[in-house]
Amino acid sequence: MELICPAGTPASLEAAVEAGADAVYCGFRDETNARNFPGLNFSRHELRKGIALAHRHGVKVLVAINTFARAGSFGLWQAAIDDAVAAGADALILADLATLDYAARHHPTQRLHVSVQAGAANPDAIRFYAESFGTRRVVLPRVLNVMEIASIVRESACETEVFVFGGLCVMEEGRCSLSSYATGQSPNMNGVCSPASHVAYTEREGQIVSTLGGFTINSFGKDEPAGYPTLCKGRFNTPKGSGYIFEEPVSLDAAVMLPALREAGVTALKIEGRQRGRAYIAGVVRSFRNILAALDEGHRAPISGLAAMAEGQASTVGAYRKGWR
Amino acid sequence: MPEPETTGLLAMPPRLPPWLSRAMEPLPLAPLQPALALMLACVGRSYPDLYDRLGEHAEKRFGVDPTDLPLAFVLEPRPGRPVARAVRTLPAGLDTCIRGPLAGLIGMAEGTLDGDALFFSRVLWVEGDVAASLALRNAIDDARIDFGKLLLGGFGPLGARLAEFIRVRMRARPVAGGSSWN
C-alpha cells in the first residue's frame, strides 16, 4: 500500500520525503484547496521546486484543488489546474464536477483523483466519476467500515485511498456547513474550516474559553486536553445534558487496521494534516512507514505511539470498526 | 510473530528548573536588546520567504512569553524595519501573544515539536489574533531557523549552553500514552 503524506510548506514536503512518503499532497496558497490557512501552502515557484525535489527521490506529488469553485471566479480554479499540470504534478485531487470536467477536457492525460470532499461513498458514485472524467482513484470518506470498503473495492475499477491518521470531520465531508453558519466561510467554498481570524481564546473563571465567530464553543479546565476550535468539536448544553454532541476532540489512528485495510484491497493510505508542523509530518510518516515495513516482513504492526500528536490527546479507529452497529 | 514495538514520538517539552529562572532574574535586559535586533535583522536577510508567508501579519505586534523565564519578547517583524526586544512583562496592546515553556517555544520554532500537539496538550497557548500566530508559526516552521541559538545567543556563552541544554532535554523526554476513544 502507498503512503500518502501531507505537506503544508516546502519544508514539510522535504520532511515527508525524508521520512519515507510514497507520495506527498499539497495545495496552492489560495482558496482552491481545503487547507487555505494563514502562512500555509505553496506558491507556483515553490510547487515546481517541491515536485522536482520529490521526483529526485522517487516520490510523487499530488496537488489538491479540492474546493468547490465560486460562481464567477472559475478562472482561479482553472489556473490552479493548469499550473499544477505544468509544474509536473503526478495527480490532481479534485472534488467539484466543474473542475473535474475542466481537467479531463483540457488535460486528458493528467491523472485525476476524487477528493474526499466529493463524498463518493458508494460504487455507483465512484463509477460515475471514473466514467465521466476518467478518474483513477477515489479518496473514500471516513464513514465506511472495512467490510464496506472491501465491497467498494470489489465493485469499482477505481483505486481506493483511505485516511489512516489525523483529524476527523463530522461525517458530512464536502457538505458540512457548520463553519459557514458561524463565520460565513467553509472548507468547501473558501478552503478553511473555522478560520483562525474568527477564533478567540479568553480566560474566564479559571477556564480557557474558545469562541468561533462570537459563538462560545468550548471551555477547558487547567489541564484538560484541547481540540481544534471547530463547532463540531464544541461542547453544548442540551435538554438531555451537556457535552460533545457532534463528536469528541479525537484523532483518527487506524494503525491497527492496516492489515484489514490491505486485505480489503485498499491501494493507498493517507495521513491528514497539511496544517501541522514539520515535527508532526516527520514523526507520523516515519511511524507509518515503520508499521508498513513490519507488516511487509510478516510482523505484527508496532504500536504507533502517536497519542501526543492527536487532537484531545486521544485516538479512535473511527468508522473502520463501527462498534455502535 | 515477534512482539510489536512502540515507536514513540517526543512531544512534551520540559520546563526549565526554577533555580535557573531565579538565576537569570537579576540579569539586565539591556545587553540583550542589540543582540535581539541583530538577530532579527539576520533572520530578515537570511529568510526572505518568511515575510512572504507572514503576508499582512508581518505588520502585527507579537508577544512571545516563555512562561519559565523571568522575561518575555516583543516581536514586530515588519519587513525592512523589524523590531525585537526583551521585556520583563508583556505590554498591553499587542496583537497576539504565544505563551509556553521556553523549550516548547524553541522546539516549535525549530520544527522539532508540533505546535498543534503542544496546543492540544495545553503546553502552549495563544491569546489575541490567532490568525497572526498561526501565520508566524507556519512561516517559522518552513524557514528552518536555528531559533534557540538565535534567541539565546544574546546571552553569550551562557545562552549557547542554555540552548544546547534545552535541546538535549527535549530529546530525552518520552511521550506519555494517550487514551483511546473507542
Side-chain angles (χ1 to χ4, degrees):
Chain A
M1 292 183 287
E2 295 172 28
L3 190 56
I4 316 295
C5 307
T9 63
S12 291
L13 183 145
E14 206 170 318
V17 168
E18 284 173 6
D22 292 308
V24 177
Y25 66 102
C26 55
F28 286 125
R29 211 181 291 176
D30 56 34
E31 63 197 279
T32 61
N33 81 92
R35 287 289 183 271
N36 181 23
F37 294 177
L40 212 62
N41 293 321
F42 288 66
S43 67
R44 266 52 176 176
H45 174 65
E46 287 170 341
L47 182 70
R48 284 193 297 274
K49 280 180 66 179
I51 289 175
L53 181 141
H55 285 178
R56 279 199 299 277
H57 291 81
V59 175
K60 291 184 167 56
V61 176
L62 322 179
V63 180
I65 306 171
N66 58 345
T67 47
F68 293 82
R70 196 163 14 90
S73 298
F74 193 51
L76 186 62
W77 280 261
Q78 287 175 320
I81 289 168
D82 294 341
D83 292 345
V85 173
D90 295 285
L92 307 184
I93 307 170
L94 307 172
D96 187 353
L97 292 176
T99 58
L100 281 156
D101 180 64
Y102 178 84
R105 285 177 192 275
H106 291 82
H107 305 287
T109 60
Q110 178 66 50
R111 185 181 175 90
L112 304 180
H113 292 181
V114 181
S115 169
V116 69
Q117 285 287 95
N122 59 68
D124 288 337
I126 294 165
R127 195 176 303 118
F128 167 77
Y129 285 109
E131 290 175 357
S132 304
F133 310 114
T135 53
R136 306 275 296 278
R137 180 179 297 183
V138 58
V139 184
L140 294 175
R142 287 159 277 193
V143 298
L144 304 163
N145 66 25
V146 176
M147 285 172 64
E148 290 165 331
I149 291 170
S151 168
I152 284 174
V153 171
R154 277 195 304 274
E155 294 183 47
S156 308
C158 223
E159 297 171 359
T160 52
E161 183 173 308
V162 301
F163 282 92
V164 289
F165 192 88
L168 283 169
C169 283
V170 288
M171 294 172 181
E172 286 291 338
E173 284 163 313
R175 305 180 187 107
C176 178
S177 295
L178 286 173
S179 177
S180 261
Y181 178 76
T183 71
Q185 295 183 48
S186 76
N188 316 319
M189 302 298 290
N190 311 94
V192 57
C193 175
S194 310
S197 54
H198 291 64
V199 173
Y201 298 103
T202 50
E203 193 166 349
R204 203 183 296 164
E205 296 169 356
Q207 299 273 111
I208 296 290
V209 177
S210 58
T211 59
L212 177 71
F215 294 93
T216 299
I217 54 174
N218 214 334
S219 71
F220 303 99
K222 188 172 171 292
D223 295 316
E224 193 177 8
Y228 282 122
T230 61
L231 272 181
C232 59
K233 308 281 172 64
R235 268 187 283 204
F236 300 93
N237 296 321
T238 76
K240 292 188 175 179
S242 302
Y244 293 103
I245 61 168
F246 291 104
E247 61 181 356
E248 305 265 344
V250 296
S251 285
L252 176 69
D253 184 353
V256 296
M257 306 302 294
L258 263 48
L261 291 169
R262 184 159 62 178
E263 188 72 19
V266 164
T267 307
L269 308 173
K270 186 166 206 158
I271 294 166
E272 185 276 345
R274 281 191 284 142
Q275 75 281 13
R276 306 290 293 261
R278 279 183 289 136
Y280 169 94
I281 308 285
V284 176
V285 174
R286 193 166 291 119
S287 177
F288 272 86
R289 173 51 65 204
N290 290 342
I291 293 170
L292 283 173
L295 289 175
D296 286 344
E297 290 168 12
H299 299 162
R300 283 167 58 188
I303 298 160
S304 71
L306 296 171
M309 291 292 178
E311 187 175 4
Q313 308 274 282
S315 62
T316 171
V317 292
Y320 293 133
R321 188 191 287 153
K322 287 181 178 170
W324 62 86
R325 276 193 171 174
Chain B
M1 280 186 177
E3 282 303 302
E5 293 175 6
T6 299
T7 54
L9 271 183
L10 310 179
M12 295 298 290
R15 291 174 191 280
L16 291 176
W19 63 261
L20 188 57
S21 180
R22 282 196 300 274
M24 291 177 72
E25 259 173 36
L27 294 175
L29 298 182
L32 197 55
Q33 311 299 10
L36 282 169
L38 194 66
M39 175 200 85
L40 199 59
C42 176
V43 168
R45 278 195 307 273
S46 307
Y47 306 95
D49 290 350
L50 196 142
Y51 286 110
D52 196 31
R53 283 199 176 275
L54 271 175
E56 60 181 301
H57 302 294
E59 300 294 333
K60 304 266 172 79
R61 296 177 75 216
F62 297 83
V64 180
D65 183 7
T67 49
D68 49 357
L69 275 188
L71 74 163
F73 302 93
V74 174
L75 177 66
E76 297 175 59
R78 304 175 304 194
R81 50 193 172 86
V83 173
R85 65 180 195 279
V87 292
R88 289 293 176 201
T89 54
L90 288 174
L94 296 172
D95 289 295
T96 186
C97 175
I98 307 166
R99 298 182 197 276
L102 182 66
L105 293 168
I106 290 177
M108 182 177 68
E110 291 191 333
T112 55
L113 295 174
D114 178 67
D116 285 16
L118 295 175
F119 169 83
F120 297 147
S121 61
R122 304 290 304 279
V123 168
L124 184 141
W125 207 252
V126 173
E127 292 163 21
D129 187 335
V130 178
S133 289
L134 206 55
L136 181 66
R137 190 280 301 264
N138 290 332
I140 290 175
D141 193 68
D142 185 52
R144 289 174 277 198
I145 302 168
D146 189 344
F147 213 68
K149 196 181 284 181
L150 280 169
L151 189 64
L152 297 169
F155 285 117
L158 176 63
R161 286 190 181 188
L162 186 58
E164 186 55 29
F165 171 78
I166 291 164
R167 194 169 290 118
V168 169
R169 286 287 298 269
M170 280 198 303
R171 278 201 297 264
R173 285 288 289 269
V175 68
S179 61
S180 175
W181 183 69
N182 61 354

